Amino acid sequence: MSGPRIVAATPAAVAEAARALRAGDLVAFPTETVYGLGADADDPRAVARIFAAKRRPADHPVIVHLAEPEDVGAWAREVPPGAAALARAFWPGPLTLILPRAAHVSDAVTGGQDAVGLRVPSHPVARALLRAFAALGGRGVAAPSANRFGHVSPTTARHVADDLGDAVGTILDGGPCDVGIESTIVAFTAALPTLLRPGGVALRDIARVLGGEPSGRDVRAPRASGSLASHYAPRTPALLVAPGVLGAEVLQLAERDERVAVLARTVAQPAAFDGAWHAAPRAPEAYARDLYAALRALDAADADAILIEDVPDDPAWLAVRDRLTRATHGVDDDRD
Ligand code: TXA
Ligand code: MG
């Protein structure tokens, strides 16, 4: 079997990738958040291939990625003032807006909902790809995170290859992702804006632009919650442990011959512990950038459990805390 093609994102490779997308093929590409698995959003058969490659249920909606903020008008039938303000403030960047869909937007993209998710990424390779795609007549690239359904999102081209193997034709390599966790998602489909997922844009910055925190209720269908099947990421059971007891807990488990892997932040590795120990960065942005690669590495240590040092209960840690909670509860709609 031929392996996936990881190619450096040269201008020639980007141009070829844009042609592949227009021809209905899948292309994995870097964004500032995580790598995406892209298909022509106007081609339902290409979008269906995304779901097959990820082994993801077909009724999950995918985000459409646009080259320019102005392109939003081609996909949304209405852009409420709050959404327009957020787009002005944070596009290009790690923000996704859920807006009422235009008539042509296919159910393959929206999962049959009346709303579509839209994002203008800032990563130079993503933008170059989207612009080359637009120059060929393309309108938008549907792309979920380029992981197998149930795994953490990929933040390097190698992660994509590890997860999807031959299911993706081309993987554009743009180096490790800068933000490291997925975009913030705000929906404008109810009376009030609703935060569907904390992410790369901090909630306080969203609140500053909207003049208050998004306060709507998330009334999505059950498929968006953790009520689906039981697999979650990482595959090794993971649990959060308070910093004050992490060292003692690790040594106790090691004494009982339990194999543990540790994602620490402030706690130093005990001299008596020789298992897998990852010292994560202390600040929230750097921690987020490092998180998924760290979880993948610790998962590969084949331990009985991953102990994760709990992070501060502070608004600056909201998005990271969200991902850690999902990773440790088997409740993960970001397994999407
Ligand atoms: O940072 C990101 O957002 C990355 C990069 C590749 O852009 N993408 C990403 O896509 O995380 P995905 O599919 O793994 O997660 C997107 C989430 C899913 O939970 C999906 O259900 C939700 O966004 N979503 C997308 N379109 C939606 C819609 N029309 N209505 C409600 N939720 C939607
Ligand atoms: Mg995902």
Side-chain angles (χ1 to χ4, degrees), residues 202-216:
L203 184 57
R204 64 172 182 280
D205 294 328
I206 302 277
R208 182 174 42 75
V209 171
L210 291 179
E213 290 199 356
S215 48

Side-chain angles (χ1 to χ4, degrees), residues 108-128:
V109 163
T110 65
Q113 308 193 53
D114 189 38
V116 61
L118 300 168
R119 172 161 120 76
V120 180
S122 64
H123 193 292
V125 172
R127 291 210 91 191

Side-chain angles (χ1 to χ4, degrees), residues 34-35 54 56 143-154 182 197 292 332-336:
V34 300
Y35 275 69
K54 283 178 61 89
R56 183 202 215 194
S145 52
N147 52 285
R148 180 63 55 86
F149 184 69
H151 294 187
V152 294
S153 293
E182 303 83 350
R197 179 175 75 184
Y292 288 152
D332 189 1
D333 57 56
D334 282 319
R335 62 196 173 174
D336 269 344

Side-chain angles (χ1 to χ4, degrees), residues 81-160:
L86 290 180
R88 267 195 307 277
F90 303 115
W91 278 353
L95 171 74
T96 296
L97 298 174
I98 310 291
L99 300 172
R101 69 165 155 183
H104 70 85
V105 186
S106 76
D107 287 344
V109 163
T110 65
Q113 308 193 53
D114 189 38
V116 61
L118 300 168
R119 172 161 120 76
V120 180
S122 64
H123 193 292
V125 172
R127 291 210 91 191
L129 178 66
L130 291 166
R131 284 176 168 155
F133 180 76
L136 297 172
R139 282 196 292 199
V141 173
S145 52
N147 52 285
R148 180 63 55 86
F149 184 69
H151 294 187
V152 294
S153 293
T155 54
T156 68
R158 175 48 54 193
H159 293 164
V160 179

Side-chain angles (χ1 to χ4, degrees), residues 148-227:
R148 180 63 55 86
F149 184 69
H151 294 187
V152 294
S153 293
T155 54
T156 68
R158 175 48 54 193
H159 293 164
V160 179
D162 288 347
D163 261 29
L164 300 182
D166 290 336
V168 52
T170 301
I171 304 170
L172 283 178
D173 189 351
C177 300
D178 203 42
V179 176
I181 55 173
E182 303 83 350
S183 60
T184 301
I185 305 182
V186 184
F188 287 84
T189 48
L192 296 168
T194 305
L195 180 73
L196 295 189
R197 179 175 75 184
V201 176
L203 184 57
R204 64 172 182 280
D205 294 328
I206 302 277
R208 182 174 42 75
V209 171
L210 291 179
E213 290 199 356
S215 48
R217 301 273 305 275
D218 180 355
V219 290
R220 284 187 297 174
R223 68 162 171 272
S225 79
S227 61

